[in-house]
Amino acid sequence: MTYTLEGSTGSWEVVVGLEVHAQVISQSKLFSGAATDFGSTPNTQVSFVDAAFPGMLPVLNEECVAQAVRTGLGIGAHINLMSRFDRKNYFYADLPSGYQISQFEHPIVGAGAIEIELADGSTKKIGVTRLHLEQDAGKSLHDQHSTKSYIDLNRCGVALMEIVSEPDMRSPEEAGAYLRKLRTVLRYLGTCDGNMEEGSMRADVNVSVRKHGEPFRTRCEVKNVNSIRFVQQAVEAEAKRQIEVWEGGGTVLQETRLYDPSRGETRSMRSKEDAHDYRYFPDPDLLPLVLDEAWVESLRAELPELPDAKRARFMREYGIPFYDSGVLVAEQVIADFYESVATGRDGKMAANWVIGDFFAGLNRTGHSIENSPVSAAALGRLLDLMADSTINGRIAKDVLEAMMDTGEDPASIIDARGLRQVTDTGAIDQAVDAVLAANPDKLAEYKAGKEKLFGFFVGQVMKAMAGKGNPALVNEALKNKLG
Amino acid sequence: MFSDLSIVEAASALRRRDFSARELTQAHVDAVAALNPRLNAFITETPELALARADAADAALAAGTAGPLAGIPLAIKDLFCTEGVRTTAASRILGNFIPPYESTVTANLLRDGAVFLGKANLDEFAMGSSNMTSAFGPVANPWQRAGSNAVLVPGGSSGGSAAAVAARIAMGATGTDTGGSIRQPAAFCGIAGIKPTYGRCSRWGIVAFASSLDQAGAFARTVGDCAVLLGSMAGFDAKDSTSVERPVPDYLAATKRGVRGLRIGVPREYRMEGMNPDVERLWQSGLQWLRDAGAEIVDVSLPHTKYGLATYYIVAPAEASSNLARYDGVRFGVRQDGVDLIDLYERTRAEGFGDEVKRRIMIGTYVLSAGYYDAYYLRAQKVRALILKDFSEAFARVDALLTPTAPTGAFAQGEKMDDPIAMYLNDVFTVPASMAGVPGMSVPAGLDHQGLPLGLQVIGRPFDEETVFAVSQVIEDAAGFSAVPQVRAGA
Amino acid sequence: MSLDPATVRRIARLARIRVEDAAVPRLQGELNNILGWIEQLSEVDVEGVAPLTGGAQIALRMRGDAVTDGGYPERILANAPDRAGEFFAVPKVVE
Ligand SMILES: [Mg+2]
Ligand SMILES: [Zn+2]
């Protein structure tokens, strides 16, 4: 299904490319030894280097380089053994040195790709042009004072990976899928926490529109969109705006815009009077970054299993379907939880229980998987109690609910509430007799050929036994009596 | 008399307790007080700090824990950040800046017991060759032309450092050299000055001018004293990514090696049309002294010499335009208010920077700007590569080079002021070594016909300061330079 | 290449240096004089020459990832021309 927007002159195709700024997980900043924690007291995580005091010099953090390389390897990209840091010069209140140290001509990571999955089950490869390391800026607070802006440099100098995609996406859905997949991969790699609310992942969205078969038209860059939902909205809003411009006889100008979620529209960023001229040049305080191939290979060897590989393995090893395995690998914690439930058990059944009742229970009780009251081991024990016929599936659902509420072990809940399955054929026969005696009319109908009523009798017997009857034995007893 | 002592002599006299560090420092503090009004060599004097440091040196000397520079009074170029002591870079924009940290080089000197008399004047942000661009006024050269009272420039940018040492109000000084800012003022003031190999001294805590060229070095009245000072200043620093991890040799020992068997190159391109005859004659004397001491003199070619200056005047302003962007009136320095942030920036920088600094920032901005980068900056980097290649090829054949330091002796304040290019030509002999990153030293070798000192420059292989010191020492010994400036302590 | 007055203003603007209109002709002359002089580099044959970017001929060193700096907001803010509590302050920036 191709996504198109209808205008007065016909249908339009939307072209989207994303530049994602992902904050690197590291203890200290890219070029200084100051801390990187989120939400600290203003200007406490600032070194003289970050605040660009006279005579201060950058020294590169090896772990940030390793994180960029891991990310590059994780998206199957080319690692450039020789890269370089350049200065991007511009004045801004939260950019103390008057330049951002970035990588312009020679990024550390070259071309790679990310495979996304769409709602209709199809997949698509989105090209990644490059990934480079650069410094984050500080934070300006504009709402604290009527005539002043306040500057906090805590974030200034924190390492970012700028991940630039090809203009390969054709719909808001594809843009969202790309961001979700990228976030998953970054989290698996442990190179970025992907937390968009805290700003550790931000997207610049490049949008253009065209008629089918046309070359690309002018694009606009919607800056700093901080949620996947807003990215999707921004794509649509900006595409519609551009269609209106083109159809109204106008020309879309290449410019930087902002998305305003409250109005659902993009607006031009107050034009900064002068055209940007960043005057990139190699940072003379830093030498070319030369990586040892063996070091890169050692990072490759230590890479965790990534979602696509894990999904394929889950399908193969546990026999679970494509869709379910996709749900289970979307987050590393879920995959780990599932795998620890599934190990040594029926993988399909484990998947059903994790995706079904377990997720529903988390939802109902407002827990995340990280602080779930039911551990993977406890859920595993519940499955074992079903497998050895201590309880039946119906009772297990109730037990899991109780486990969610109390955090107790399934066995103790079963014992305390007397939920053990009844396998005593005498007791079952007794219950069957009572049900048949209480429903003579239904019995007559059954005997007259209305065999569908068998299920009714099963239900009544189970009800009489408070759900604890062993379903197979109840069936057998009924069959005997109904002959 | 303290004013005739070398650092090497004073250090042993202090150890013998011939006099105390306090006495030595007090004499220099008094000399600064007496002569600085005339020389303007210091922007900031720190007599109390100096005396306190001298007392600490005396205590260390008594306890036998004294460092090699214990009690030696020095001038510190006001480009080195000194903790708690105002550091201005001779600019209005930093007129009130008190660094909360100590530069690595000055910290090394303090570690070895040195006493700082104060912060020496310089061209604003080290941009100049005359010390006329300082926001704190020009420095007077302690030397005068025979029969003239005209006030001469000390050279630049480290003019205050050179003048203070020449006038014997400091025993030594730190400087920085980007295109000749140690060697040229040393020559103008009749003292010795060394710019080591790029990467030998840490740049951490030194106000940056052009990062790929800036290098700290030392001034003193003898080659041996420069060796001692550099030995303290130099060394690996993990805080500077361009600092080189190599042990620092015993430079003082190297001054005693002599030049027997060394091959000394004479770059033919340094013999320029219309060369000052005094300079030419002195150069020939220098070569003869080295020949007499057993060196072999070899003609070499550095074909891209003539492009050194133009290359420098693209690379250095480009880097400076970026390095000086941090002076915006937001976190430190002097702010001029504006109607909005851009206006604040523009007024702060227009008021805070002097004309030469603004000129260079604008040239640097232009050569990096879209459409011009390739024609100017990228081309300059390629020519720079060719200049380095010239030196590498020459050093395959010779151990060191001998050239004049500057095309003339000191000129008067006010001369060459309205023509920036004429001013830039002062550095024609020093800039190529800066572009190549190799060490260079200026040694006072004689006087011109006006009675002004002239220097000879010894250029060495990368990280071979030892040979530079060895050759320089031979020149110093042979030249027997004993002339003294008119303005000096004890005169 | 010769700078016109508009370019002089544009460069000054990029460099964030206020230039009064009256000063433009003088600056234009000075800058053109210098640019004309450095023009001599165009005669150098740089065909196939790799640019030399830095002064040091070594590879970049890296440091370990440890928190070794920061945590001194007072020293960071002490020289500020204008501060508001724990922040630097500047005229309000409108985005
Ligand atoms: Mg971007
Ligand atoms: Zn970026």
Side-chain angles (χ1 to χ4, degrees):
Chain A
M1 260 300 291
T2 5
Y3 172 90
T4 52
L5 289 171
E6 293 307 315
S8 57
T9 61
S11 66
W12 293 79
E13 186 182 46
V14 180
V15 177
V16 184
L18 290 170
E19 290 170 26
V20 173
H21 283 95
Q23 183 180 323
V24 173
I25 294 177
S26 64
Q27 298 299 307
S28 60
K29 295 182 179 180
L30 183 55
F31 293 111
S32 92
T36 57
D37 305 322
F38 178 78
S40 301
T41 307
N43 290 309
T44 54
Q45 294 180 169
V46 183
S47 72
F48 297 124
V49 177
D50 308 318
F53 270 58
M56 293 299 98
L57 298 171
V59 182
L60 182 60
N61 183 337
E62 181 171 26
E63 175 62 10
C64 296
V65 174
Q67 294 286 56
V69 170
R70 287 182 190 114
T71 306
L73 293 171
I75 56 172
H78 178 75
I79 306 300
N80 292 321
L81 295 180
M82 213 289 280
S83 65
R84 205 175 65 192
F85 289 96
D86 301 290
R87 293 185 183 178
K88 178 182 183 180
N89 294 283
Y90 64 98
F91 285 85
Y92 200 73
D94 51 27
L95 185 71
S97 49
Y99 55 84
Q100 177 196 34
I101 305 179
S102 180
Q103 297 189 297
F104 183 55
E105 253 186 278
H106 301 283
I108 184 164
V109 175
I114 287 178
E115 190 171 89
I116 60 171
E117 185 196 328
L118 301 168
D120 63 4
S122 65
T123 60
K124 179 173 176 179
K125 259 201 163 75
I126 306 297
V128 170
T129 316
R130 57 182 282 167
L131 175 158
H132 67 252
L133 279 168
E134 63 184 23
Q135 301 173 294
D136 204 349
K139 201 167 69 180
S140 297
L141 293 88
H142 304 303
D143 52 359
Q144 307 284 303
H145 189 277
S146 59
T147 62
K148 291 178 183 183
S149 290
Y150 289 175
I151 313 296
D152 171 15
L153 299 179
N154 275 351
R155 214 176 59 193
C156 187
V158 167
L160 300 177
M161 295 178 283
E162 182 172 331
I163 305 160
V164 182
S165 86
E166 294 288 326
D168 284 351
M169 289 157 273
R170 294 289 176 272
S171 67
E173 187 205 356
E174 291 184 11
Y178 171 83
L179 281 170
R180 271 190 296 274
K181 183 61 176 288
L182 176 60
R183 187 173 61 182
T184 300
V185 171
L186 294 173
R187 285 178 171 165
Y188 265 74
L189 291 165
T191 58
C192 170
D193 68 19
N195 190 332
M196 293 189 85
E197 299 77 62
E198 290 181 3
S200 45
M201 199 169 133
R202 316 189 282 275
D204 298 340
V205 191
N206 288 299
V207 181
S208 64
V209 296
R210 64 173 172 184
K211 291 293 184 70
H212 286 280
E214 275 186 359
F216 292 139
R217 297 197 185 197
T218 310
R219 65 188 164 85
C220 288
E221 184 176 13
V222 186
K223 276 276 185 203
N224 263 329
V225 190
N226 62 3
S227 87
I228 292 174
R229 193 161 54 95
F230 290 163
V231 166
Q232 294 182 312
Q233 291 172 3
V235 168
E236 187 168 339
E238 176 57 17
K240 284 181 172 162
R241 184 192 70 86
Q242 290 181 14
I243 291 167
E244 258 177 52
V245 171
W246 290 122
E247 292 189 337
T251 304
V252 170
L253 301 175
Q254 182 161 353
E255 61 175 349
T256 303
R257 302 178 67 86
L258 279 181
Y259 178 64
D260 181 348
S262 62
R263 308 169 129 228
E265 59 188 33
T266 69
R267 61 177 163 84
S268 186
M269 280 176 86
R270 186 165 295 223
S271 82
K272 289 182 175 164
E273 286 177 63
D274 18 56
H276 283 295
D277 187 342
Y278 291 125
R279 291 158 285 138
Y280 282 100
F281 75 108
D283 191 322
D285 287 331
L286 295 161
L287 303 151
L289 173 59
V290 180
L291 302 180
D292 178 17
E293 188 150 20
W295 184 70
V296 172
E297 287 315 309
S298 74
L299 293 177
R300 191 196 299 276
E302 290 163 10
L303 285 187
E305 183 181 38
L306 291 170
D308 289 347
K310 199 182 279 288
R311 181 181 206 167
R313 183 171 61 81
F314 280 8
M315 291 170 65
R316 195 174 63 239
E317 281 184 15
Y318 300 110
I320 50 177
F322 182 77
Y323 178 82
D324 288 2
S325 57
V327 172
L328 292 172
V329 302
E331 283 184 50
Q332 177 101 50
V333 274
I334 297 174
D336 290 349
F337 188 98
Y338 164 72
E339 196 148 31
S340 110
V341 175
T343 303
R345 299 192 178 92
D346 177 343
K348 253 174 153 159
M349 187 172 169
N352 289 338
W353 275 83
V354 169
I355 294 171
D357 292 274
F358 174 70
F359 278 180
L362 288 179
N363 241 331
R364 177 177 62 80
T365 56
H367 286 99
S368 68
I369 193 161
E370 286 89 346
N371 62 13
S372 164
V374 177
S375 67
L379 182 57
R381 283 195 294 276
L382 180 67
L383 300 195
D384 293 341
L385 291 167
M386 260 185 289
D388 69 7
S389 297
T390 306
I391 51 172
N392 63 40
R394 175 69 210 88
I395 291 293
K397 286 174 187 284
D398 296 342
V399 174
L400 182 56
E401 271 195 28
M403 290 163 70
M404 275 289 170
D405 291 330
T406 64
E408 282 173 42
D409 198 69
S412 38
I413 291 170
I414 290 164
D415 285 343
R417 306 191 184 182
L419 298 176
R420 247 163 225 286
Q421 184 162 254
V422 177
T423 48
D424 168 4
T425 48
I428 292 171
D429 283 346
Q430 214 174 349
V432 168
D433 291 342
V435 165
L436 295 182
N439 296 284
D441 45 343
K442 293 276 193 309
L443 182 60
E445 280 178 52
Y446 180 84
K447 296 221 156 151
K450 203 169 174 190
E451 295 194 353
K452 273 188 340 194
L453 280 169
F454 188 82
F456 165 79
F457 291 119
V458 172
Q460 289 300 304
V461 173
M462 289 300 273
K463 194 175 166 193
M465 298 184 70
K468 297 183 283 183
N470 177 303
L473 295 176
V474 168
N475 269 304
E476 200 182 305
L478 263 172
K479 268 185 196 144
N480 287 338
K481 301 276 176 183
L482 293 171
Chain B
M1 208 44 231
F2 292 139
S3 55
D4 294 326
L5 285 174
S6 71
I7 291 173
V8 171
E9 289 161 354
S12 35
L14 285 166
R15 271 170 180 72
R16 289 194 305 271
R17 314 300 289 153
D18 291 353
F19 46 80
S20 69
R22 187 176 240 293
E23 289 171 285
L24 183 65
T25 294
Q26 187 68 57
H28 283 87
V29 164
D30 293 345
V32 170
L35 292 183
N36 198 51
R38 199 159 158 196
L39 296 170
N40 198 28
F42 286 89
I43 290 173
T44 304
E45 297 165 35
T46 55
E48 292 86 4
L49 284 174
L51 290 168
R53 290 278 309 170
D55 290 343
D58 278 326
L61 285 160
T65 58
L69 291 171
I72 303 297
L74 305 176
I76 302 301
K77 187 180 188 181
D78 204 15
L79 204 62
F80 292 80
C81 289
T82 42
E83 187 168 2
V85 175
R86 182 175 72 143
T87 299
T88 69
S91 182
R92 268 192 299 281
I93 212 161
L94 280 178
N96 59 0
F97 176 59
I98 299 184
Y101 45 85
E102 186 77 31
S103 82
T104 298
V105 162
T106 49
N108 289 347
L109 290 168
L110 292 172
R111 172 204 62 205
D112 288 344
V115 171
F116 297 167
L117 295 164
K119 305 301 291 290
N121 206 343
L122 64 148
D123 279 300
E124 184 179 6
F125 281 103
M127 296 179 191
S129 309
S130 65
N131 225 292
M132 295 300 291
T133 72
S134 169
F136 295 84
V139 175
N141 192 321
W143 292 80
Q144 286 168 349
R145 289 174 183 144
S148 162
N149 286 329
V151 179
L152 307 183
V153 303
S157 67
S158 313
S161 297
V165 174
R168 277 111 173 114
I169 62 178
M171 300 196 76
T174 64
T176 62
D177 190 315
T178 304
S181 282
I182 289 174
R183 291 160 287 162
Q184 184 252 18
F188 275 22
C189 291
I191 61 170
I194 176 144
K195 175 201 97 79
T197 312
Y198 183 86
R200 186 58 105 171
C201 287
S202 169
R203 292 184 297 115
W204 194 87
I206 302 172
V207 176
F209 161 18
S211 308
S212 75
L213 297 161
D214 294 346
Q215 186 56 208
F219 291 99
R221 291 188 292 272
T222 70
V223 171
D225 285 2
C226 282
V228 172
L229 290 176
L230 186 64
S232 174
M233 295 163 67
F236 172 66
D237 180 7
K239 290 187 289 192
D240 174 359
S241 299
T242 60
S243 167
V244 174
E245 209 162 356
R246 273 176 181 255
V248 178
D250 183 342
Y251 293 135
L252 187 59
T255 62
K256 290 157 189 138
R257 285 183 183 177
V259 294
R260 187 155 306 280
L262 289 188
R263 295 165 66 89
I264 306 295
V266 188
R268 75 178 69 103
E269 292 78 9
Y270 278 59
R271 184 166 290 116
M272 289 173 176
E273 189 130 349
M275 194 170 197
N276 179 314
D278 294 334
V279 171
E280 166 76 41
R281 182 176 33 77
L282 190 70
W283 191 10
Q284 293 311 319
S285 308
L287 294 170
Q288 190 55 49
W289 296 330
L290 294 175
R291 215 175 270 123
D292 293 347
E296 183 190 348
I297 306 301
V298 180
D299 266 326
V300 296
S301 173
L302 299 172
H304 296 89
T305 297
K306 68 178 277 208
Y307 301 109
L309 268 185
T311 307
Y312 176 82
Y313 276 96
I314 292 172
V315 172
E319 293 181 13
S321 71
S322 178
N323 282 335
L324 270 60
R326 67 189 55 200
Y327 305 105
D328 60 5
V330 174
R331 296 162 317 285
F332 44 76
V334 178
R335 171 188 290 192
Q336 304 295 329
D337 285 322
V339 295
D340 57 25
L341 185 61
I342 292 181
D343 193 40
L344 178 152
Y345 287 153
E346 291 187 343
R347 287 178 189 276
T348 294
R349 292 164 60 81
E351 295 285 311
F353 293 139
D355 284 344
E356 179 64 18
V357 171
K358 285 190 268 194
R359 224 172 358 245
R360 295 203 198 184
I361 290 175
M362 289 188 60
I363 290 286
T365 302
Y366 182 70
V367 300
L368 290 176
S369 66
Y372 300 100
Y373 181 89
D374 287 3
Y376 287 113
Y377 190 73
L378 190 62
R379 172 167 282 265
Q381 285 187 320
K382 291 178 178 174
V383 179
R384 187 174 179 181
L386 293 173
I387 292 171
L388 176 65
K389 185 163 159 269
D390 285 355
F391 277 99
S392 304
E393 286 172 3
F395 283 128
R397 299 180 51 215
V398 298
D399 301 295
L401 303 167
L402 188 77
T403 77
T405 307
T408 63
F411 49 90
Q413 289 184 357
E415 283 173 15
K416 307 191 185 188
M417 292 302 142
D418 34 355
D419 183 1
I421 293 169
M423 189 66 82
Y424 296 169
L425 286 170
N426 270 293
D427 295 329
V428 65
F429 297 138
T430 49
V431 151
S434 297
M435 299 307 296
V438 296
M441 178 160 205
S442 180
V443 193
L447 299 176
D448 69 5
H449 68 282
Q450 296 180 298
L452 296 180
L454 297 172
L456 288 176
Q457 176 178 226
V458 179
I459 301 172
R461 294 192 178 102
F463 297 100
D464 188 15
E465 286 85 8
E466 289 167 285
T467 298
V468 172
F469 280 122
V471 175
S472 298
Q473 185 64 55
V474 168
I475 290 177
E476 179 178 277
D477 293 342
F481 185 85
S482 58
V484 291
Q486 287 77 358
V487 181
R488 65 182 192 279
Chain C
M1 280 172 262
S2 175
L3 302 190
D4 57 17
T7 308
V8 172
R9 285 198 197 85
R10 186 175 65 83
I11 295 298
R13 184 89 176 146
L14 270 177
R16 293 290 185 265
I17 295 173
R18 185 183 168 87
V19 172
E20 305 295 340
D21 286 345
V24 170
R26 179 183 56 81
L27 254 178
Q28 185 190 352
E30 287 173 0
L31 298 181
N32 275 326
N33 187 21
I34 296 168
L35 288 170
W37 173 68
I38 59 184
E39 200 63 27
Q40 58 177 288
L41 287 196
S42 59
E43 69 193 51
V44 185
D45 180 8
V46 293
E47 190 63 33
V49 177
L52 178 62
T53 54
Q57 308 299 304
I58 49 174
L60 186 58
R61 228 177 15 250
M62 296 187 263
R63 57 171 230 280
D65 181 27
V67 177
T68 56
D69 208 347
Y72 38 75
E74 271 315 308
R75 292 165 77 204
I76 290 290
L77 289 156
N79 278 284
D82 187 13
R83 63 181 280 192
E86 54 211 357
F87 296 99
F88 295 99
V90 296
K92 202 179 197 68
V93 178
V94 186
E95 270 175 346

